[in-house]
Amino acid sequence: MKRSDIVRSVQVKFGRLSSADAAAMVDCVSKRLCDAAHAGDRVEIRGFGTFQTRVHAAKATVNPRTGAKMRLPARRSVLFRPSRELIKKMNGGD
């Protein structure tokens, strides 16, 4: 599913919205999710799942191609955990 598909489904669901308004709604929600992830907040969407940031420590590793030792810096990533309802729906248990 692409962003345009989501915008179209929002526009169909709320019949009086223009495509520009529906796109603005989708952009607002995605921006808010990104801002919350950047701030390290946990975002929970009931019936869908949770997004939370995970911190990975810096570590020493080896480049498999050259064999040279290298240092990977600390980084953050986003972890998504689906809700039980989403898992159930994905596995055919309607």
Side-chain angles (χ1 to χ4, degrees), residues 16-37:
R16 294 183 167 204
L17 281 180
S18 67
S19 61
D21 289 340
M25 287 176 64
V26 171
D27 289 341
C28 182
V29 170
S30 64
K31 182 177 181 344
R32 183 65 184 117
L33 284 171
C34 290
D35 291 345

Side-chain angles (χ1 to χ4, degrees), residues 35-69:
D35 291 345
H38 183 265
D41 295 338
R42 180 176 179 267
V43 177
E44 180 178 343
I45 301 173
R46 298 281 170 135
F48 184 69
T50 59
F51 297 90
Q52 59 189 26
T53 56
R54 170 115 346 140
V55 177
H56 300 276
K59 63 181 179 179
T61 187
V62 176
N63 184 335
R65 185 173 289 176
T66 63
K69 293 182 181 180

